[in-house]
Amino acid sequence: MRVMVFFDLPTITDKNRHDYRKFRQFLVQEGFIMMQESVYTKLVLNGTMVNLMKNKIRISRRKAW
C-alpha cells in the first residue's frame, strides 16, 4: 500500500516557515519521499500501518500548530 500526503501550508511569516520546515522534516524522518512540492509518498505493508501513519501525521500537525 502507498500513503500519499498532499499539503498546502502558508509560508508568509517566520512562524509559518518554521512550521512548514518542521512538518516536512517529520515526513522525511518517517520515510516519506517527495514526489513534487508538497506531495510526499511512502510504501507501507498493510492497512494497520496506514492507520498508524495517519495518526502520527495528525499528531504532528497538531504539535506544529
Side-chain angles (χ1 to χ4, degrees), residues 47-63:
T48 303
M49 292 302 293
V50 170
N51 292 331
L52 176 68
M53 193 52 55
K54 284 181 1 185
N55 290 335
K56 280 183 158 185
I57 291 169
R58 284 186 184 122
I59 291 169
S60 172
R61 271 192 24 215
R62 287 185 195 131
K63 284 182 182 178

Side-chain angles (χ1 to χ4, degrees), residues 5-11 15-42 53 56-65:
V5 178
F6 297 81
F7 62 94
D8 185 21
L9 296 174
T11 56
K15 177 156 179 23
N16 291 152
R17 286 188 291 276
H18 175 75
D19 292 343
Y20 174 87
R21 284 191 306 270
K22 284 194 68 131
F23 185 65
R24 184 189 167 286
Q25 182 182 26
F26 163 78
L27 291 174
V28 171
Q29 287 176 350
E30 288 296 322
F32 283 83
I33 298 171
M34 183 171 67
M35 294 183 67
Q36 68 182 46
E37 189 174 340
S38 299
V39 178
Y40 286 76
T41 187
K42 176 181 179 170
M53 193 52 55
K56 280 183 158 185
I57 291 169
R58 284 186 184 122
I59 291 169
S60 172
R61 271 192 24 215
R62 287 185 195 131
K63 284 182 182 178
W65 299 355

